[in-house]
């Protein structure tokens, strides 16, 4: 026996949800998506790695007091 539903479905919301669920089926690499992928997967991690490697062992935080320099000599 079917239970009556008190929720009315909006066809526009249902179409939007279906579009979002099936987005991977229609994806293509275009110039824009390639640039976004390159930026997120290559450029940003390489900049973070460069900054981290340049500042590694540059500062010494242990045993410093107010007014002491953090830069290692």
């Amino acid at each position: 026996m079917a239970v009556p539903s008190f929720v009315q479905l909006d066809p526009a919301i249902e179409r939007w949800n279906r579009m979002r669920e099936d987005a991977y089926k229609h994806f293509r690499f275009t110039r824009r998506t390639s640039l976004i992928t390159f930026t997120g997967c290559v450029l940003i991690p390489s900049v973070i790695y460069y900054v981290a490697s340049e500042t590694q062992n540059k500062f010494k935080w242990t045993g410093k007091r107010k007014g002491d320099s953090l830069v290692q000599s």
Side-chain angles (χ1 to χ4, degrees), residues 14-64:
E14 295 300 318
R15 281 194 312 269
W16 184 75
N17 282 334
R18 177 67 61 198
M19 179 194 65
R20 288 196 63 222
E21 290 171 359
D22 295 338
Y24 71 95
K25 295 178 183 176
H26 306 289
F27 178 78
R28 290 186 188 164
F29 270 110
T30 60
R31 176 178 281 227
R32 181 175 183 264
T33 57
S34 298
L35 183 62
I36 291 170
T37 303
F38 177 77
T39 302
C41 295
V42 176
L43 190 63
I44 292 174
S46 58
V47 168
I48 291 172
Y49 175 76
Y50 174 76
V51 170
S53 65
E54 286 295 316
T55 59
Q56 183 180 11
N57 296 330
K58 195 171 193 178
F59 302 105
K60 186 172 182 183
W61 293 85
T62 57
K64 295 297 179 180

